[in-house]
Amino acid sequence: MAFRDVTLPAIAPAVASGFLFAWVRSFEEFVRAYFVSGTTDVLTTEMYALLAYGTAPKLNVIATLVLFVLAVVLAVAMTAGDVVSAVTAGE
């Protein structure tokens, strides 16, 4: 109960921001994903294939969806976690 009531609320913003940062950084790791993926298609290699073979409209849709999901997650986090007052330190 102490973890749920005390520790988890204290570390939740850090865990969420770490998750979002790792998710965004995963798009930069194309070379690693390309060599390690094997027969599995991951999003970064799929986006590269769309770009290399000239089907840019599909890539535009994927990029828009990624940005939309990220914006929704951040908006929910800011309203649910009261991030604004935490960042401004109650000023």
Side-chain angles (χ1 to χ4, degrees):
M1 290 187 65
F3 178 79
R4 188 188 69 207
D5 294 338
V6 177
T7 307
L8 189 59
I11 66 169
V15 171
S17 64
F19 170 76
L20 288 175
F21 183 71
W23 184 65
V24 170
R25 285 278 298 164
S26 71
F27 290 107
E28 296 177 7
E29 298 294 333
F30 166 73
V31 174
R32 183 178 297 145
Y34 188 71
F35 285 114
V36 176
S37 65
T39 59
T40 305
D41 286 334
V42 293
L43 183 60
T44 53
T45 57
E46 186 68 28
M47 289 172 73
Y48 173 74
L50 290 174
L51 189 62
Y53 298 116
T55 54
K58 290 181 183 178
L59 186 61
N60 293 340
V61 171
I62 291 172
T64 302
L65 288 174
V66 166
L67 286 173
F68 181 72
V69 166
L70 186 62
V72 167
V73 167
L74 288 174
V76 167
M78 287 184 72
T79 57
D82 197 18
V83 174
V84 176
S85 66
V87 170
T88 59
E91 293 177 8

